[in-house]
Coordinates of all heavy atoms in Angstrom, one line a residue:
M3 N 94.0 97.5 105.2 CA 93.0 97.3 104.2 C 92.3 95.9 104.3 O 93.1 95.0 104.1 CB 93.5 97.5 102.7 CG 92.6 97.4 101.7 SD 93.4 97.9 100.2 CE 92.6 96.9 99.0
P4 N 91.1 95.8 104.6 CA 90.5 94.5 104.8 C 90.2 93.8 103.5 O 90.1 94.5 102.4 CB 89.2 94.8 105.5 CG 88.9 96.3 105.1 CD 90.2 96.9 105.0
I5 N 90.3 92.5 103.5 CA 90.1 91.7 102.3 C 88.6 91.5 102.1 O 87.9 90.9 103.0 CB 90.9 90.4 102.3 CG1 92.3 90.6 102.4 CG2 90.5 89.5 101.2 CD1 93.2 89.3 102.7
S6 N 88.0 91.8 101.1 CA 86.6 91.6 100.8 C 86.3 90.3 100.3 O 87.3 89.5 99.8 CB 86.1 92.7 99.8 OG 86.6 92.4 98.5
R7 N 85.0 89.9 100.4 CA 84.7 88.6 99.8 C 84.9 88.4 98.3 O 85.3 87.3 97.9 CB 83.3 88.2 100.1 CG 83.0 88.1 101.6 CD 81.6 87.8 101.8 NE 81.3 87.7 103.2 CZ 80.2 87.2 103.8 NH1 79.2 86.8 103.1 NH2 80.0 87.2 105.0
R8 N 84.8 89.5 97.5 CA 85.0 89.5 96.1 C 86.5 89.2 95.8 O 86.8 88.4 95.0 CB 84.6 90.8 95.6 CG 84.7 90.8 94.0 CD 84.0 92.0 93.5 NE 84.1 92.0 92.1 CZ 84.9 92.8 91.3 NH1 85.6 93.8 92.0 NH2 85.1 92.8 90.1
H9 N 87.4 89.9 96.6 CA 88.8 89.7 96.3 C 89.2 88.2 96.7 O 90.0 87.6 96.0 CB 89.6 90.6 97.2 CG 89.6 92.0 96.6 ND1 89.2 93.1 97.3 CD2 90.0 92.5 95.4 CE1 89.2 94.2 96.6 NE2 89.8 93.9 95.4
L10 N 88.6 87.7 97.8 CA 88.9 86.3 98.3 C 88.4 85.3 97.2 O 89.1 84.4 96.8 CB 88.3 86.1 99.6 CG 88.7 84.8 100.2 CD1 90.2 84.7 100.4 CD2 87.9 84.7 101.5
A11 N 87.2 85.5 96.6 CA 86.7 84.7 95.6 C 87.5 84.8 94.3 O 87.8 83.7 93.7 CB 85.2 85.1 95.3
V12 N 87.9 85.9 93.9 CA 88.9 86.0 92.7 C 90.2 85.3 93.0 O 90.7 84.6 92.1 CB 89.0 87.5 92.3 CG1 90.1 87.7 91.2 CG2 87.7 88.1 91.8
L13 N 90.8 85.6 94.1 CA 92.0 84.9 94.5 C 91.9 83.4 94.5 O 92.7 82.7 94.0 CB 92.5 85.4 95.9 CG 93.9 84.9 96.4 CD1 95.0 85.3 95.4 CD2 94.1 85.3 97.7
L14 N 90.8 82.8 95.0 CA 90.5 81.4 95.1 C 90.3 80.9 93.6 O 90.7 79.7 93.3 CB 89.4 81.1 95.9 CG 89.0 79.6 96.1 CD1 90.2 79.0 96.9 CD2 87.7 79.5 96.9
A15 N 89.6 81.6 92.8 CA 89.4 81.2 91.5 C 90.7 81.1 90.6 O 90.7 80.4 89.7 CB 88.4 82.2 90.8
V16 N 91.7 81.9 91.0 CA 92.9 82.0 90.2 C 93.8 80.9 90.8 O 94.6 80.2 90.0 CB 93.6 83.3 90.3 CG1 95.0 83.3 89.8 CG2 92.8 84.4 89.5
M17 N 93.8 80.7 92.0 CA 94.8 79.8 92.8 C 94.4 78.3 92.5 O 95.2 77.5 92.3 CB 94.9 80.1 94.2 CG 95.5 81.4 94.5 SD 97.2 81.5 94.0 CE 98.0 80.3 95.0
L18 N 93.1 78.0 92.5 CA 92.7 76.7 92.3 C 93.1 76.0 91.0 O 93.7 75.0 90.9 CB 91.2 76.5 92.4 CG 90.6 75.2 92.4 CD1 91.2 74.3 93.6 CD2 89.1 75.2 92.4
P19 N 92.9 76.7 89.9 CA 93.5 76.1 88.6 C 94.9 76.0 88.5 O 95.6 75.1 88.0 CB 92.9 77.0 87.5 CG 91.8 77.7 88.1 CD 92.0 77.8 89.5
A20 N 95.6 77.1 89.2 CA 97.1 77.1 89.1 C 97.6 75.9 89.9 O 98.6 75.2 89.4 CB 97.6 78.4 89.7
C21 N 97.1 75.6 91.1 CA 97.6 74.5 91.9 C 97.2 73.2 91.1 O 98.0 72.2 91.3 CB 96.9 74.5 93.2 SG 97.6 76.0 94.2
S22 N 96.1 73.1 90.5 CA 95.7 71.9 89.8 C 96.6 71.5 88.7 O 97.0 70.4 88.5 CB 94.2 71.9 89.3 OG 93.3 72.1 90.4
L23 N 96.9 72.6 87.9 CA 97.8 72.4 86.8 C 99.3 71.9 87.2 O 99.9 71.2 86.5 CB 97.9 73.6 85.8 CG 96.7 73.8 85.0 CD1 96.8 75.1 84.2 CD2 96.4 72.7 84.0
G24 N 99.6 72.6 88.3 CA 101.0 72.2 88.8 C 101.1 70.7 89.3 O 102.0 70.1 89.1
G25 N 100.0 70.2 89.8 CA 99.9 68.8 90.3 C 99.8 67.8 89.1 O 100.1 66.6 89.2
C26 N 99.3 68.3 87.9 CA 99.0 67.4 86.8 C 100.4 66.8 86.3 O 100.5 65.6 85.8 CB 98.5 68.1 85.6 SG 96.7 68.3 85.8
G27 N 101.5 67.5 86.3 CA 102.8 67.1 85.9 C 103.3 65.9 86.6 O 103.8 64.9 86.0
T28 N 103.1 65.8 87.9 CA 103.7 64.7 88.7 C 102.7 63.5 88.6 O 103.2 62.3 88.6 CB 103.9 65.1 90.2 OG1 102.5 65.6 90.7 CG2 104.9 66.2 90.3
I29 N 101.5 63.8 88.5 CA 100.5 62.7 88.4 C 100.7 62.0 87.1 O 100.7 60.7 87.0 CB 99.0 63.2 88.6 CG1 98.8 63.6 90.0 CG2 98.0 62.1 88.1 CD1 97.5 64.2 90.2
N30 N 100.7 62.8 86.0 CA 100.9 62.2 84.6 C 102.2 61.4 84.5 O 102.2 60.5 83.7 CB 100.7 63.3 83.5 CG 99.4 63.8 83.4 OD1 98.4 63.2 83.7 ND2 99.3 65.0 83.0
E31 N 103.3 61.9 85.1 CA 104.5 61.2 85.0 C 104.4 59.8 85.6 O 104.9 58.8 85.1 CB 105.6 61.9 85.9 CG 106.9 61.3 85.9 CD 107.9 62.0 86.8 OE1 107.7 63.2 87.2 OE2 108.9 61.4 87.2
K32 N 103.6 59.6 86.7 CA 103.5 58.2 87.3 C 102.4 57.4 86.6 O 102.6 56.2 86.5 CB 103.1 58.5 88.7 CG 104.2 59.0 89.5 CD 103.7 59.4 90.9 CE 104.9 60.1 91.7 NZ 104.5 60.8 92.8
L33 N 101.5 58.1 86.0 CA 100.4 57.3 85.3 C 100.9 56.9 83.8 O 100.4 55.9 83.3 CB 99.1 58.1 85.2 CG 98.3 58.2 86.5 CD1 97.2 59.1 86.2 CD2 97.9 56.9 86.9
A34 N 101.8 57.6 83.3 CA 102.1 57.4 81.9 C 102.8 56.1 81.7 O 102.7 55.5 80.6 CB 103.1 58.6 81.3
D35 N 103.5 55.6 82.6 CA 104.3 54.4 82.5 C 103.3 53.2 82.3 O 103.5 52.3 81.6 CB 105.2 54.1 83.7 CG 106.3 55.0 83.8 OD1 106.8 55.6 82.7 OD2 106.9 55.2 84.8
G36 N 102.2 53.1 83.1 CA 101.3 52.1 83.0 C 100.2 52.2 82.0 O 99.7 51.2 81.4
M37 N 99.8 53.4 81.7 CA 98.7 53.7 80.8 C 99.0 53.4 79.4 O 98.1 53.0 78.6 CB 98.2 55.1 81.0 CG 97.5 55.5 82.2 SD 96.1 54.4 82.6 CE 94.9 54.9 81.3
G38 N 100.2 53.5 79.0 CA 100.6 53.1 77.6 C 100.3 51.7 77.3 O 100.1 51.4 76.1
D39 N 100.2 50.8 78.2 CA 100.0 49.5 77.9 C 98.5 49.2 77.7 O 98.1 48.2 77.1 CB 100.4 48.5 79.1 CG 101.8 48.6 79.4 OD1 102.6 48.9 78.4 OD2 102.3 48.3 80.6
Y40 N 97.6 50.1 78.1 CA 96.1 49.8 78.0 C 95.5 50.7 76.9 O 94.4 50.5 76.6 CB 95.5 50.2 79.3 CG 96.0 49.4 80.5 CD1 96.8 49.9 81.4 CD2 95.8 48.0 80.5 CE1 97.2 49.1 82.5 CE2 96.2 47.2 81.5 CZ 97.0 47.8 82.5 OH 97.5 47.0 83.5
V41 N 96.3 51.6 76.3 CA 95.8 52.4 75.2 C 95.9 51.6 73.9 O 96.9 51.0 73.6 CB 96.6 53.7 75.1 CG1 96.1 54.6 73.9 CG2 96.4 54.5 76.3
P42 N 94.7 51.5 73.1 CA 94.9 50.7 71.9 C 95.8 51.3 70.8 O 96.1 52.6 70.9 CB 93.4 50.7 71.3 CG 92.6 51.6 72.3 CD 93.5 52.1 73.3
Q43 N 96.3 50.5 70.0 CA 97.3 51.0 69.0 C 96.8 52.1 68.1 O 97.4 53.1 67.8 CB 97.8 49.8 68.2 CG 98.9 50.3 67.2 CD 99.4 49.1 66.3 OE1 98.8 48.0 66.4 NE2 100.3 49.4 65.5
W44 N 95.5 52.0 67.7 CA 94.9 53.0 66.8 C 94.8 54.4 67.5 O 94.7 55.4 66.9 CB 93.5 52.6 66.3 CG 92.5 52.3 67.4 CD1 92.3 51.1 68.0 CD2 91.6 53.3 68.0 NE1 91.3 51.3 69.0 CE2 90.9 52.6 69.0 CE3 91.5 54.7 67.9 CZ2 89.9 53.2 69.8 CZ3 90.5 55.3 68.8 CH2 89.9 54.6 69.7
A45 N 94.8 54.4 68.8 CA 94.8 55.7 69.6 C 96.2 56.1 70.1 O 96.3 57.0 70.9 CB 93.9 55.5 70.9
G46 N 97.2 55.5 69.5 CA 98.6 55.9 69.9 C 99.3 55.1 70.9 O 100.3 55.5 71.4
G47 N 98.7 53.9 71.2 CA 99.4 53.1 72.2 C 100.4 52.2 71.6 O 100.9 52.5 70.5
L48 N 101.0 51.3 72.3 CA 102.1 50.4 71.9 C 101.6 49.6 70.7 O 100.6 49.0 70.8 CB 102.7 49.6 73.1 CG 103.4 50.4 74.0 CD1 103.8 49.5 75.3 CD2 104.7 51.0 73.5
P49 N 102.5 49.3 69.7 CA 102.1 48.4 68.7 C 102.2 46.9 69.2 O 102.8 46.6 70.3 CB 103.2 48.6 67.6 CG 104.3 49.3 68.3 CD 103.8 50.1 69.5
A50 N 101.5 46.0 68.5 CA 101.5 44.7 69.0 C 102.9 44.0 69.1 O 103.1 43.1 69.9 CB 100.6 43.9 68.0
D51 N 103.8 44.4 68.2 CA 105.1 43.7 68.2 C 106.2 44.4 69.1 O 107.3 44.2 68.9 CB 105.6 43.6 66.7 CG 105.8 44.9 66.1 OD1 105.2 45.9 66.6 OD2 106.5 45.1 65.0
A52 N 105.7 45.4 69.9 CA 106.7 46.0 70.7 C 107.2 45.1 71.9 O 106.5 44.2 72.3 CB 105.9 47.2 71.5
P53 N 108.5 45.2 72.2 CA 109.0 44.3 73.2 C 108.5 44.6 74.6 O 108.1 45.7 74.8 CB 110.5 44.5 73.1 CG 110.7 45.9 72.5 CD 109.5 46.1 71.6
P54 N 108.5 43.6 75.5 CA 108.0 43.9 76.9 C 108.9 44.9 77.6 O 110.0 45.1 77.2 CB 108.0 42.5 77.5 CG 108.8 41.7 76.6 CD 108.9 42.3 75.3
R55 N 108.3 45.5 78.6 CA 109.0 46.5 79.4 C 110.1 45.8 80.3 O 109.9 44.7 80.8 CB 108.0 47.2 80.3 CG 107.0 48.0 79.5 CD 106.3 49.0 80.4 NE 105.2 49.7 79.7 CZ 105.5 50.7 79.1 NH1 106.7 51.4 79.1 NH2 104.5 51.5 78.4
P56 N 111.2 46.5 80.4 CA 112.3 45.9 81.3 C 111.8 45.8 82.7 O 111.0 46.6 83.2 CB 113.4 47.0 81.2 CG 113.1 47.7 80.0 CD 111.6 47.7 79.7
G57 N 112.3 44.8 83.4 CA 111.9 44.5 84.8 C 110.8 43.6 85.0 O 110.4 43.3 86.1
T58 N 110.2 43.1 84.0 CA 109.1 42.1 84.0 C 109.7 40.7 83.6 O 110.7 40.6 83.0 CB 108.0 42.5 83.0 OG1 108.4 42.4 81.7 CG2 107.4 43.9 83.4
A59 N 108.8 39.7 84.0 CA 109.3 38.3 83.7 C 109.3 38.1 82.2 O 110.2 37.4 81.7 CB 108.3 37.4 84.4
K60 N 108.4 38.7 81.4 CA 108.2 38.6 80.0 C 109.5 39.2 79.4 O 110.0 38.6 78.3 CB 107.0 39.2 79.4 CG 105.7 38.4 79.7 CD 104.6 39.1 79.1 CE 103.3 38.3 79.4 NZ 102.1 39.0 78.7
Y61 N 110.1 40.2 79.9 CA 111.2 40.9 79.4 C 112.4 39.9 79.5 O 113.2 39.8 78.6 CB 111.6 42.2 80.1 CG 112.7 42.9 79.6 CD1 112.7 43.6 78.4 CD2 113.9 42.9 80.3 CE1 113.8 44.2 77.9 CE2 115.1 43.5 79.8 CZ 115.0 44.2 78.7 OH 116.1 44.9 78.2
D62 N 112.6 39.2 80.6 CA 113.7 38.3 80.9 C 113.6 37.1 79.8 O 114.6 36.8 79.2 CB 113.6 37.7 82.3 CG 113.9 38.8 83.3 OD1 114.5 39.8 83.0 OD2 113.5 38.7 84.4
E63 N 112.4 36.6 79.6 CA 112.2 35.6 78.6 C 112.6 36.1 77.2 O 113.2 35.4 76.4 CB 110.7 35.1 78.6 CG 110.3 34.3 79.9 CD 108.9 34.0 80.0 OE1 108.3 34.1 78.9 OE2 108.4 33.7 81.0
Y64 N 112.2 37.3 76.9 CA 112.4 38.0 75.6 C 113.9 38.1 75.4 O 114.4 37.8 74.3 CB 111.7 39.2 75.6 CG 112.0 40.1 74.3 CD1 111.4 39.8 73.1 CD2 112.9 41.2 74.4 CE1 111.7 40.6 72.0 CE2 113.1 42.0 73.3 CZ 112.5 41.6 72.1 OH 112.8 42.4 71.0
M65 N 114.6 38.5 76.4 CA 116.0 38.7 76.2 C 116.7 37.3 76.1 O 117.7 37.2 75.3 CB 116.6 39.4 77.3 CG 116.2 40.9 77.5 SD 116.5 41.8 76.0 CE 118.3 42.0 76.1
K66 N 116.3 36.4 76.8 CA 116.9 35.0 76.7 C 116.6 34.5 75.3 O 117.5 33.9 74.6 CB 116.4 34.0 77.7 CG 116.8 34.3 79.1 CD 116.2 33.3 80.1 CE 116.6 33.6 81.5 NZ 115.9 32.8 82.5
D67 N 115.4 34.7 74.7 CA 115.1 34.3 73.4 C 115.9 35.0 72.3 O 116.4 34.4 71.3 CB 113.6 34.5 73.1 CG 113.2 33.8 71.8 OD1 113.6 32.6 71.5 OD2 112.6 34.5 71.1
R68 N 116.1 36.3 72.5 CA 117.0 37.1 71.6 C 118.4 36.5 71.6 O 119.1 36.4 70.6 CB 117.0 38.5 72.0 CG 115.8 39.3 71.4 CD 115.9 40.7 71.7 NE 117.1 41.3 71.0 CZ 117.4 42.6 71.2 NH1 116.8 43.3 72.1 NH2 118.5 43.1 70.6
E69 N 119.0 36.2 72.8 CA 120.3 35.7 72.9 C 120.5 34.4 72.3 O 121.5 34.1 71.6 CB 120.7 35.7 74.4 CG 122.2 35.5 74.7 CD 122.9 36.8 74.3 OE1 122.4 37.9 74.2 OE2 124.2 36.6 74.1
R70 N 119.5 33.6 72.4 CA 119.5 32.2 71.8 C 119.5 32.4 70.2 O 120.3 31.7 69.6 CB 118.3 31.5 72.3 CG 118.3 29.9 71.7 CD 117.0 29.3 72.1 NE 115.8 30.0 71.7 CZ 115.2 29.9 70.4 NH1 115.8 29.4 69.5 NH2 114.1 30.6 70.2
K71 N 118.7 33.3 69.7 CA 118.6 33.5 68.3 C 119.8 34.1 67.8 O 120.2 33.8 66.7 CB 117.4 34.3 67.9 CG 116.1 33.7 68.1 CD 114.9 34.7 67.7 CE 113.6 33.9 67.9 NZ 112.4 34.9 67.6
R72 N 120.5 34.8 68.5 CA 121.7 35.5 68.2 C 122.8 34.5 67.8 O 123.7 34.7 67.0 CB 122.2 36.5 69.2 CG 123.3 37.4 68.8 CD 123.7 38.4 69.9 NE 125.1 38.2 70.1 CZ 125.7 38.5 71.2 NH1 125.1 38.7 72.3 NH2 127.0 38.4 71.2
F73 N 122.8 33.4 68.6 CA 124.0 32.4 68.4 C 123.5 31.3 67.4 O 124.4 30.4 67.1 CB 124.2 31.7 69.7 CG 125.0 32.7 70.7 CD1 124.5 33.1 71.9 CD2 126.3 33.1 70.2 CE1 125.2 34.0 72.7 CE2 126.9 34.1 71.1 CZ 126.4 34.5 72.3
E74 N 122.3 31.3 66.9 CA 121.9 30.3 65.9 C 122.6 30.6 64.6 O 122.9 31.8 64.2 CB 120.4 30.4 65.7 CG 119.6 29.7 66.8 CD 118.1 29.7 66.6 OE1 117.6 30.3 65.4 OE2 117.4 29.2 67.3
Q75 N 122.8 29.6 63.8 CA 123.4 29.8 62.4 C 122.4 30.2 61.5 O 121.2 30.0 61.6 CB 124.0 28.5 61.9 CG 125.3 28.1 62.8 CD 125.9 26.8 62.1 OE1 125.4 26.3 61.2 NE2 126.9 26.4 62.7
A76 N 122.7 31.1 60.6 CA 121.8 31.6 59.6 C 121.5 30.5 58.7 O 122.3 29.6 58.3 CB 122.5 32.7 58.8
P77 N 120.2 30.5 58.2 CA 119.7 29.4 57.2 C 120.6 29.5 55.9 O 120.9 30.6 55.5 CB 118.3 29.6 57.0 CG 118.1 31.0 57.4 CD 119.1 31.4 58.4
P78 N 120.9 28.4 55.4 CA 121.7 28.4 54.1 C 120.8 29.1 53.0 O 119.6 28.9 53.0 CB 122.0 27.0 53.7 CG 120.9 26.2 54.5 CD 120.6 27.1 55.8
K79 N 121.5 29.8 52.1 CA 120.8 30.3 51.0 C 120.5 29.3 49.9 O 121.3 28.6 49.6 CB 121.6 31.5 50.3 CG 121.9 32.7 51.3 CD 122.6 33.8 50.7 CE 122.7 35.0 51.7 NZ 123.4 36.1 51.1
G80 N 119.2 29.3 49.5 CA 118.8 28.4 48.5 C 119.1 28.7 47.1 O 119.6 29.8 46.8
D81 N 118.8 27.8 46.2 CA 119.0 28.1 44.8 C 118.0 29.2 44.2 O 118.3 29.7 43.2 CB 118.9 26.8 43.9 CG 120.0 25.8 44.3 OD1 121.1 26.4 44.7 OD2 119.8 24.6 44.2
A82 N 116.9 29.3 44.9 CA 115.9 30.3 44.3 C 116.4 31.7 44.4 O 115.9 32.5 43.6 CB 114.6 30.0 45.2
T83 N 117.1 32.0 45.5 CA 117.6 33.4 45.5 C 118.8 33.7 44.6 O 118.9 34.8 44.2 CB 118.0 33.8 47.0 OG1 119.0 32.8 47.4 CG2 116.8 33.5 47.9
T84 N 119.6 32.6 44.3 CA 120.7 32.9 43.5 C 120.5 32.9 42.0 O 121.1 33.4 41.2 CB 121.9 32.0 43.8 OG1 121.4 30.7 43.7 CG2 122.4 32.3 45.2
A85 N 119.4 32.0 41.5 CA 119.0 31.9 40.2 C 118.7 33.2 39.4 O 119.2 33.4 38.4 CB 118.0 30.8 40.0
P86 N 117.8 34.0 39.9 CA 117.5 35.2 39.2 C 118.7 36.1 39.1 O 118.8 36.8 38.0 CB 116.4 35.9 40.0 CG 115.8 34.8 40.9 CD 116.9 33.8 41.1
A87 N 119.6 36.2 40.0 CA 120.7 37.1 40.0 C 121.7 36.6 38.9 O 122.3 37.5 38.2 CB 121.4 37.2 41.4
S88 N 121.9 35.3 38.8 CA 122.9 34.9 37.8 C 122.3 35.1 36.4 O 123.1 35.4 35.5 CB 123.2 33.4 38.0 OG 122.0 32.6 37.9
S89 N 121.0 34.9 36.1 CA 120.5 35.0 34.9 C 120.3 36.6 34.5 O 120.6 36.9 33.3 CB 119.0 34.5 34.7 OG 118.1 35.1 35.6
A90 N 120.1 37.4 35.4 CA 120.1 38.8 35.3 C 121.4 39.4 35.0 O 121.6 40.3 34.2 CB 119.3 39.5 36.5
S91 N 122.4 38.9 35.6 CA 123.8 39.5 35.5 C 124.3 39.1 34.1 O 125.1 40.0 33.5 CB 124.7 39.0 36.5 OG 124.9 37.5 36.4
S92 N 123.9 38.0 33.5 CA 124.4 37.7 32.1 C 123.7 38.4 31.0 O 124.2 38.8 30.0 CB 124.2 36.2 31.9 OG 122.8 35.8 31.9
S93 N 122.4 38.9 31.3 CA 121.6 39.5 30.2 C 121.7 41.2 30.3 O 121.4 41.8 29.4 CB 120.1 39.2 30.4 OG 119.6 39.6 31.6
S94 N 122.2 41.6 31.5 CA 122.2 43.1 31.7 C 123.6 43.6 31.9 O 124.4 43.0 32.7 CB 121.2 43.5 32.8 OG 121.3 44.9 33.1
A95 N 123.9 44.7 31.3 CA 125.3 45.3 31.4 C 125.4 46.1 32.6 O 126.4 46.5 33.1 CB 125.7 46.0 30.2
S96 N 124.2 46.6 33.2 CA 124.3 47.6 34.3 C 124.1 47.0 35.6 O 123.7 47.5 36.6 CB 123.2 48.7 34.1 OG 121.9 48.0 34.2
V97 N 124.4 45.6 35.7 CA 124.3 44.9 37.0 C 125.6 44.9 37.7 O 126.7 44.6 37.0 CB 123.8 43.5 36.8 CG1 123.8 42.8 38.0 CG2 122.4 43.5 36.1
S98 N 125.7 45.2 38.9 CA 126.9 45.2 39.7 C 127.4 43.8 40.1 O 126.6 42.8 39.8 CB 126.7 46.1 40.9 OG 125.8 45.4 41.9
S99 N 128.5 43.8 40.7 CA 129.0 42.4 41.0 C 128.1 41.7 42.1 O 128.1 40.5 42.3 CB 130.5 42.5 41.6 OG 130.4 43.3 42.8
S100 N 127.3 42.5 42.9 CA 126.4 41.9 43.9 C 125.2 41.4 43.3 O 124.4 40.8 44.1 CB 126.1 43.0 45.0 OG 125.3 44.0 44.4
G101 N 124.9 41.6 42.0 CA 123.7 41.0 41.4 C 122.6 42.1 41.4 O 121.4 41.7 41.1
L102 N 122.8 43.3 41.9 CA 121.7 44.3 41.9 C 121.8 45.2 40.7 O 123.0 45.5 40.3 CB 121.8 45.0 43.2 CG 121.6 44.2 44.5 CD1 121.9 45.1 45.7 CD2 120.3 43.6 44.6
N103 N 120.7 45.7 40.2 CA 120.7 46.6 39.2 C 121.1 47.9 39.6 O 120.8 48.3 40.8 CB 119.2 46.7 38.5 CG 119.0 45.4 37.8 OD1 119.8 44.6 37.3 ND2 117.6 45.3 37.7
A104 N 121.8 48.7 38.7 CA 122.2 50.1 39.1 C 121.0 51.0 39.2 O 120.0 50.9 38.4 CB 123.1 50.6 38.0
V105 N 120.9 51.9 40.1 CA 119.9 52.8 40.3 C 120.2 54.2 39.6 O 121.3 54.8 39.9 CB 119.6 52.9 41.8 CG1 118.5 54.1 42.0 CG2 119.3 51.7 42.5
H106 N 119.4 54.6 38.7 CA 119.7 55.9 38.0 C 118.5 56.8 38.2 O 117.4 56.6 38.1 CB 119.9 55.7 36.6 CG 121.2 54.8 36.3 ND1 122.5 55.4 36.4 CD2 121.3 53.6 36.0 CE1 123.3 54.5 36.1 NE2 122.7 53.4 35.9

């Protein structure tokens, strides 16, 4: 049975989109890594405070800065944070030992 031009056109019309869609998966996988950096935040891109990607120079600096901050001592708590808790604990009976009001 010979293949007519109509059958060949239909076969080509079906095979072309099928092959194109199959190739999209591999192309998108490679493009997705870099394109996320260029998409604005309002369109679903990375937020401004997102850490840098691993393997870059900025990532190494970011990790060194995090490690440095990890070993810093915490700032001492001032009198402003403890004053309201002490006055609230004396006036309210439903305050726990941590200075927080009970949630009901």
Side-chain angles (χ1 to χ4, degrees):
M3 178 169 151
I5 298 176
S6 68
R7 289 185 185 191
R8 183 171 180 251
H9 286 121
L10 189 60
V12 170
L13 184 64
L14 184 63
V16 170
M17 291 300 291
L18 185 64
C21 292
S22 297
L23 287 175
C26 284
T28 57
I29 291 172
N30 288 337
E31 177 186 343
K32 294 174 182 158
L33 289 176
D35 290 337
M37 288 305 293
D39 296 336
Y40 301 110
V41 176
Q43 182 181 2
W44 59 265
L48 290 173
D51 62 344
R55 295 191 183 272
T58 62
K60 289 183 179 181
Y61 180 76
D62 294 336
E63 293 173 17
Y64 173 75
M65 292 305 289
K66 286 178 185 176
D67 189 47
R68 277 185 65 188
E69 194 68 22
R70 181 185 55 80
K71 287 180 181 178
R72 189 176 132 211
F73 289 116
E74 286 181 358
Q75 291 183 359
K79 294 185 179 182
D81 293 331
T83 59
T84 57
S88 62
S89 64
S91 64
S92 62
S93 64
S94 175
S96 66
V97 175
S98 67
S99 62
S100 64
L102 299 174
N103 291 336
V105 179
H106 295 281

